[in-house]
């Protein structure tokens, strides 16, 4: 439908996908007959067909609210920062700490889809055959493939090339639970879409490129049994077992994840407390305001969020005072961070400043961003 509109032509399509085609634009002539007889009668003038109406899929109920989660306020803060800047995030914690609950509530603090984003998502879903009744959804995608998913299921492929989970999560969230349980070769193919925002599937005679600009959210246990560092349970995992468990996550992949946090077990006093946690609505307002500031900042470039800033933009928009420079230099030396991690810290710092509506980056902004990289030292070095 979009291609026909670009050529100045009309479109005849099956009745079932008429509501989908109508999203291509109000100016395009679209006929969606139920049968060949119906279209013949239309051109004879005996039974004129009306233009199909663009349909929105009615989503049942509201999204899960972060207020349902007692405690974990520091994890919620990290989730807010990730949502505001479009940053990738990793959560480490014992079973039952609330990692999956936090992940499922991330879409509730993301701003509404813009018209162009809605159209991009719908085109990908159309290719994948996931638009039921031709109606598109106005919610951001949240994809959570099982750890047994194949490489083709994750990045796309097949005899007739179809988009994979990384493309179906475009403009939304890709959540990988129990990250070390995924095949290591499957995880490594995430590096291209995380770096470029697109994924290219090559065949002998052709190649296909799908958009895949998503937020990556991953969760894992600190060891095979899950209770390493948990004061309430004893961990029986040996050092070689832990090393084998963590070896499935390569350094280059970890380096592409901006925020690393620990999600500890919630104490009984917080679970039994009567006070609700921070709500999704208040966070969404902050996230929307921060993204609005980013849209103004990057109005003359193709960059959308702080997480997408180029190295040149990082130098332009993430300038530090002398105290902050000294703090960052000391952290780089102590934690052995890479040049990529250096830029990611600055991108996260810029997002934290945006959440506070601060034009200049202050040391407290940088300190919080550095704390989101502590797992580089604690878990992998």
């Amino acid at each position: 439908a979009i291609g026909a509109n670009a050529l100045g032509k009309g479109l005849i399509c099956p009745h079932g996908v008429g509501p989908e085609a109508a999203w291509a634009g109000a100016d395009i002539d679209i006929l969606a007959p139920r049968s060949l007889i119906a279209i013949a009668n239309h051109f004879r003038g005996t039974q004129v067909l009306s233009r199909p109406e663009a349909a929105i899929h009615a989503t049942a109920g509201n999204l899960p609210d972060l207020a349902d989660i007692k405690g974990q306020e520091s994890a919620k803060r990290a989730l807010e920062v990730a949502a505001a800047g479009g940053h990738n995030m990793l959560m480490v914690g014992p079973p039952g700490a609330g990692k999956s609950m936090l992940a499922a509530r991330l879409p509730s603090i993301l701003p509404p889809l813009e018209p162009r984003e809605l159209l991009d998502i719908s085109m990908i879903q159309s290719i994948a055959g996931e638009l039921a009744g031709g109606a598109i959804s106005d919610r951001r995608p949240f994809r959570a493939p099982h750890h047994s998913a194949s490489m083709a299921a994750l990045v796309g492929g097949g005899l007739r090339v179809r988009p994979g989970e990384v493309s179906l999560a475009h403009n939304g969230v890709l959540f990988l639970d129990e990250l070390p349980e995924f095949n290591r070769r499957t995880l490594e193919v995430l590096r291209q879409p995380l770096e470029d925002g697109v994924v290219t599937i090559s065949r002998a005679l052709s190649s296909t490129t799908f958009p895949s600009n998503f937020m990556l959210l991953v969760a894992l246990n600190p060891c095979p049994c899950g209770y390493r560092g948990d004061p309430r349970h004893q961990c029986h995992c040996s050092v070689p077992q832990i090393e084998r468990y963590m070896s499935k996550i390569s350094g280059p992949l970890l380096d592409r994840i901006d925020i690393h946090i620990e999600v500890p077990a919630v104490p009984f006093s917080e679970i039994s407390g009567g006070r609700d946690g921070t709500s999704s609505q208040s966070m969404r307002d902050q996230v929307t305001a921060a993204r609005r500031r980013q849209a103004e900042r990057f109005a003359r470039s193709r960059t959308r969020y702080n997480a997408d800033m180029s190295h040149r933009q990082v130098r332009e928009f993430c300038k530090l005072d002398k105290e902050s420079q000294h703090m960052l230099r000391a952290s780089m030396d102590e934690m052995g961070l890479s040049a990529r991690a250096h830029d990611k810290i600055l991108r996260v710092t810029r997002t934290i400043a945006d959440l506070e509506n601060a034009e200049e980056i202050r040391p407290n902004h940088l300190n919080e961003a550095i704390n989101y990289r502590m797992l580089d030292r604690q878990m992998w070095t």
Side-chain angles (χ1 to χ4, degrees):
I2 293 172
N5 194 20
L7 297 172
K9 299 180 181 296
L11 179 75
I12 301 172
C13 64
H15 178 79
V17 295
E20 175 188 339
W23 282 100
D27 300 331
I28 180 175
D29 292 326
I30 298 174
L31 299 178
R34 293 182 181 274
S35 65
L36 292 175
I37 293 174
I39 197 167
N41 291 337
H42 173 83
F43 286 120
R44 281 205 304 251
T46 58
Q47 189 179 6
V48 178
L49 295 168
S50 59
R51 189 182 190 276
E53 295 292 330
I56 285 279
H57 175 64
T59 47
N62 295 323
L63 290 168
D65 199 298
L66 279 167
D68 301 335
I69 302 177
K70 299 293 183 66
Q72 303 296 11
E73 292 302 315
S74 60
K76 291 180 185 179
R77 167 62 176 177
L79 211 62
E80 180 183 38
V81 174
H87 302 288
N88 304 318
M89 179 170 152
L90 177 147
M91 299 181 288
V92 179
K99 302 186 296 295
S100 298
M101 290 183 67
L102 286 164
R105 284 154 178 77
L106 175 56
S108 69
I109 65 174
L110 294 174
L113 285 168
E114 298 175 1
R116 182 69 226 182
E117 292 177 322
L118 184 69
L119 199 58
D120 288 345
I121 292 169
S122 302
M123 286 192 287
I124 296 169
Q125 292 174 338
S126 175
I127 294 169
E130 295 204 357
L131 290 182
I136 69 176
S137 172
D138 58 350
R139 285 187 177 174
R140 291 186 180 273
F142 179 82
R143 308 292 299 191
H146 191 260
H147 57 73
S148 61
S150 66
M151 190 182 300
L154 198 62
V155 300
L159 189 60
R160 295 177 60 187
V161 178
R162 288 164 53 94
E165 295 290 341
V166 297
S167 297
L168 291 167
H170 181 61
N171 289 328
V173 179
L174 177 66
F175 175 50
L176 303 182
D177 200 4
E178 304 292 347
L179 186 68
E181 300 297 335
F182 283 80
N183 182 281
R184 175 165 179 149
R185 289 184 62 243
T186 301
L187 290 178
E188 287 304 297
V189 299
L190 291 174
R191 288 160 58 176
Q192 185 206 1
L194 286 175
E195 196 74 22
D196 303 331
V198 297
V199 61
T200 301
I201 303 166
S202 299
R203 291 291 180 265
L205 300 177
S206 64
S207 64
T208 305
T209 299
F210 291 117
S212 57
N213 193 349
F214 56 89
M215 282 182 61
L216 177 66
L217 184 60
V218 302
L220 65 152
N221 296 329
C223 65
C225 78
Y227 295 111
R228 179 188 177 201
D230 189 342
R232 304 175 307 169
H233 297 85
Q234 185 176 359
C235 173
H236 298 284
C237 301
S238 65
V239 173
Q241 285 177 317
I242 296 173
E243 289 178 348
R244 283 195 301 270
Y245 182 72
M246 292 300 182
S247 66
K248 292 187 179 180
I249 309 170
S250 69
L253 177 60
L254 182 69
D255 223 20
R256 286 167 170 79
I257 300 178
D258 311 38
I259 296 174
H260 315 154
I261 64 165
E262 289 186 88
V263 183
V266 183
F268 176 78
S269 58
E270 294 187 9
I271 297 175
S272 59
R275 192 178 65 177
D276 288 339
T278 307
S279 69
S280 293
Q281 180 61 54
S282 61
M283 282 193 181
R284 184 166 58 247
D285 293 341
Q286 293 286 338
V287 168
T288 302
R291 288 201 173 190
R292 193 179 302 119
R293 284 188 278 276
Q294 292 168 61
E296 295 171 358
R297 178 181 301 128
F298 305 126
R300 297 183 179 180
S301 69
R302 298 180 62 182
T303 304
R304 298 169 62 198
Y305 309 126
N306 288 335
D308 303 327
M309 280 193 288
S310 65
H311 180 68
R312 180 176 296 178
Q313 289 173 323
V314 169
R315 287 184 298 175
E316 180 180 357
F317 298 118
C318 304
K319 296 178 180 177
L320 305 178
D321 57 24
K322 288 187 177 180
E323 181 182 352
S324 298
Q325 288 176 1
H326 177 74
M327 184 189 302
L328 182 57
R329 184 183 299 111
S331 299
M332 293 285 294
D333 293 341
E334 179 187 351
M335 298 166 64
L337 298 178
S338 67
R340 180 183 284 113
H342 169 275
D343 281 6
K344 286 193 176 296
I345 288 174
L346 291 178
R347 293 183 183 106
V348 174
T349 304
R350 180 68 264 173
T351 299
I352 295 169
D354 286 343
L355 283 168
E356 294 188 6
N357 196 20
E359 192 65 33
E360 295 183 356
I361 290 175
R362 295 192 290 268
N364 62 300
H365 302 147
L366 178 62
N367 184 57
E368 182 179 354
I370 291 172
N371 283 328
Y372 290 144
R373 300 291 302 194
M374 294 303 287
L375 289 181
D376 280 332
R377 180 177 62 190
Q378 294 177 5
M379 299 290 293
W380 274 268
T381 62

